[in-house]
Amino acid sequence: MNRGLVVMRRIVFALGLVVSVLLATPAATAIGGTRQCDFDNDGYDDAAIGVAGEDAAAGAVNVIYGSADKLTSIGDQLWTQDSPGLEDTAEANDQFGFSVECGDFNGDNYADLVIASPWEDIGGINDAGAVHLLFGSVDGLTATDGLFLHRNVPGVAGQAAAFDHWGQSLAAGDFNNDGRDDLAVGAPFDDVNTTSGAGSVQVFFGSAGGLSTSGDKIYHRATPGIKGPLSDGNFGSSLAAGDFNGDDHDDLAIGSPSDTINAMVGAGAVNVIYGSNGGLTKAGDDLFHRATPGIRGTPGTFDLFGHSLAAGDFDNNGYDELAIGAPFDAIGAASDAGSVQVLQGGANGLKKAGDKIWHRNRAGIRGVAGPNDGFGYSLTAARFNSGGHYDLAVGVWLDDVGAVFGVGSVHVIYGSGSGLVAAGDQIWHQGSNGIKGANESNDNFGWSVGAGDFDGNGKHDLLIGVPNEDGPTTTDSGKVSVIYGKSAELNAAGDQQFSQDSAGILGTSEDFDNFGRNVNGSGN
């Protein structure tokens, strides 16, 4: 990879083009989930790891289960579209596992897993996209009674169309506060009316049988009440659920990172639709970008504000905040260095005052903003210590370490009574502070981040995808790194690494598998 290719990737994404190298191209998915992932309800969160490049990009998902002794290969599962009980069959370039999300959709206290294959062909319609739902049980995930959903399923709103990439982003939240999670499915390349690549989001409600195909709703910028112009902004590229107004109904944040703002192509924007007893309501929809009055910052060309999203109560005041990644924001003279903007929650929803912008040139934050760092490419919020405040993990997927290009790193910024604070900021990469592994060019440590309490000690642990890590005999086969939460903060002691080369982990490492391309398990 060279730096010129990084710039090209930005242009390709901002123009909404679909190219054959998308598996290796940064994609605006919801990286890091929003729900706990305890599939067997044993008190230990489990980890779902997307392997979208498996077998000519047919795709797969590894599930590693938690225990008192941390994540363990015992009971490890490998899911593909050829797994017994799953509808459809594995085909090249389906990219099953491109995005994954946890939620309890049937209200039985076992977390369930949604796995998307956004390049799935539907009835001869290329790359329309589909999702699978696997249910949790006392024995872990099972395909029994599982669901296969796409836009041509009877009862599902809308029609499958070529290159929609339905399922490229996912988010679970209880939008109607009925005790069952609901699912938002992004289709960022959906054409709306005559606008190509406008994007849409489809919401399914939880029920006793899982996700219901009755009453699902489609939202886009042509939906009456939804703010913002209908454009090729890729509405739905990223999603996050959180309770921003403290009314016990989850709300939905929707990224449109390719939006043009004040003539700045790809500056990006975020819509927020609020929950109610009837589900998401268009009343009070908010639109945020860096030209919104009261919001800090200035829109920039190809900043991709909204590429990544994460929700968490960083000040523990009962209202979730929203972290918004702009991974190609210029910081000083450093192009594409990246930043993260945090909007405050309140009784009336997210506020247009009191927001903060975080980047590597901010006082107290470790490191120095460098060209092409991509700070904010991935985000997840979790409680990594004994405090009641959520903390924020920030992926810096192209960070150079010393003279080694594209190694990647992850920052952790801790919450407090006043929200996120620079004091105690941590930066992690392979070979740092006791973390296993070595810095190698283009590993992309931090491409994805997620979290969960894998050892049941009451603190969340950090799951980091390293999808372009080489194996002993393979190129870009990928792995994940796990850093465990302690009373004070994350600590490298006892960290783990997993790949399909690890003892007991199912599957075979192959070139370009990209194990860790996406991960899930963020506690909420």
Side-chain angles (χ1 to χ4, degrees):
M1 184 190 300
N2 58 50
R3 296 180 185 270
L5 180 56
V6 173
V7 175
M8 183 193 76
R9 284 174 165 174
R10 295 173 57 207
I11 296 171
V12 167
F13 176 83
L15 293 177
L17 299 179
V18 182
V19 296
S20 61
V21 295
L22 266 171
L23 177 63
T25 303
T29 62
I31 301 176
T34 57
R35 317 303 294 177
Q36 289 176 312
C37 298
D38 187 358
F39 303 126
D40 52 6
N41 195 26
D42 64 353
Y44 307 104
D45 283 335
D46 311 310
I49 301 166
V51 196
E54 178 95 358
D55 293 340
V61 173
N62 277 85
V63 177
I64 305 176
Y65 284 84
S67 74
D69 194 28
K70 304 179 290 190
L71 288 175
T72 172
S73 62
I74 298 172
D76 167 54
Q77 295 175 310
L78 178 65
W79 295 95
T80 74
Q81 286 184 304
D82 285 336
S83 295
L86 265 66
E87 291 189 50
D88 205 58
T89 56
E91 300 160 317
N93 299 316
D94 281 351
Q95 297 194 35
F96 177 87
F98 186 91
S99 50
V100 290
E101 178 64 304
C102 305
D104 183 5
F105 303 110
N106 57 2
D108 65 355
N109 295 319
Y110 294 91
D112 312 311
L113 180 65
V114 177
I115 304 172
S117 50
W119 275 259
E120 179 79 34
D121 297 345
I122 302 297
I125 302 170
N126 292 335
D127 301 345
V131 301
H132 290 263
L133 172 60
L134 304 178
F135 289 107
S137 75
V138 68
D139 296 317
L141 289 172
T142 173
T144 302
D145 299 322
L147 299 176
F148 181 51
L149 296 175
H150 53 76
R151 277 189 169 165
N152 282 4
V153 168
V156 172
Q159 296 293 317
F163 311 116
D164 278 354
H165 293 186
W166 195 84
Q168 185 166 318
S169 58
L170 301 168
D174 189 357
F175 304 124
N176 58 5
N177 194 28
D178 68 350
R180 300 183 181 101
D181 283 327
D182 313 308
L183 180 70
V185 181
F189 294 97
D190 189 12
D191 297 344
V192 178
N193 298 334
T194 58
T195 302
S196 176
S200 67
V201 175
Q202 195 147 355
V203 176
F204 295 88
F205 292 100
S207 71
L211 295 170
S212 174
T213 56
S214 174
D216 58 304
K217 297 180 180 180
I218 298 176
Y219 299 88
H220 46 64
R221 289 268 181 81
T223 302
I226 300 298
K227 293 182 174 66
L230 185 62
S231 66
D232 58 350
N234 302 133
F235 179 91
S237 289
S238 58
L239 300 169
D243 184 5
F244 304 121
N245 57 8
D247 66 354
D248 296 324
H249 300 81
D250 281 330
D251 314 308
L252 183 65
I254 303 169
S256 299
S258 294
D259 261 359
T260 297
I261 306 296
N262 289 356
M264 298 292 175
V265 176
V270 175
N271 282 77
V272 178
I273 309 176
Y274 291 90
S276 72
N277 287 342
L280 295 174
T281 173
K282 293 165 285 187
D285 163 59
D286 279 324
L287 176 66
F288 299 96
H289 48 69
R290 284 185 167 164
T292 300
I295 298 295
R296 299 175 189 269
T298 302
T301 301
F302 301 135
D303 281 354
L304 300 191
F305 177 90
H307 169 84
S308 56
L309 300 169
D313 189 357
F314 303 124
D315 54 9
N316 197 28
N317 68 349
Y319 305 103
D320 281 340
E321 281 75 56
L322 180 65
I324 303 170
F328 300 115
D329 188 14
I331 304 299
S335 61
D336 303 341
S339 66
V340 176
Q341 194 137 358
V342 178
L343 306 183
Q344 301 299 307
N348 296 315
L350 291 172
K351 301 176 182 179
K352 297 181 175 69
D355 61 309
K356 296 179 181 179
I357 299 178
W358 297 90
H359 52 71
R360 280 182 153 173
N361 283 4
R362 180 170 174 145
I365 296 297
R366 300 175 188 271
V368 177
N372 303 309
D373 278 352
F375 181 95
Y377 185 81
S378 59
L379 300 170
T380 199
R383 296 186 181 102
F384 296 120
N385 56 26
S386 295
H389 314 89
Y390 271 73
D391 314 307
L392 184 67
V394 181
V396 194
W397 74 296
L398 277 176
D399 191 17
D400 298 347
V401 177
V404 187
F405 171 66
V407 168
S409 65
V410 174
H411 279 258
V412 177
I413 307 174
Y414 286 89
S416 74
S418 58
L420 295 174
V421 292
D425 164 56
Q426 294 176 308
I427 184 169
W428 302 97
H429 55 78
Q430 295 188 87
S432 70
N433 303 318
I435 295 298
K436 294 179 173 63
N439 295 322
E440 298 166 317
S441 180
N442 302 318
D443 278 352
N444 302 143
F445 182 94
W447 179 305
S448 60
V449 288
D453 185 5
F454 305 124
D455 57 2
N457 71 347
K459 294 90 180 173
H460 288 120
D461 313 308
L462 179 59
L463 187 65
I464 302 169
V466 197
N468 292 325
E469 175 84 10
D470 295 342
T473 61
T474 55
T475 300
D476 296 349
S477 51
K479 70 179 179 183
V480 296
S481 182
V482 190
I483 307 174
Y484 282 85
K486 307 294 193 300
S487 293
E489 59 188 13
L490 289 168
N491 189 300
D495 72 306
Q496 296 174 298
Q497 290 189 335
F498 293 95
S499 72
Q500 289 183 339
D501 288 318
S502 299
I505 298 299
L506 298 176
T508 302
S509 281
E510 300 162 317
D511 291 344
F512 312 115
D513 274 355
N514 301 127
F515 183 93
R517 168 63 185 72
N518 208 336
V519 297
N520 210 332
S522 175
N524 197 14

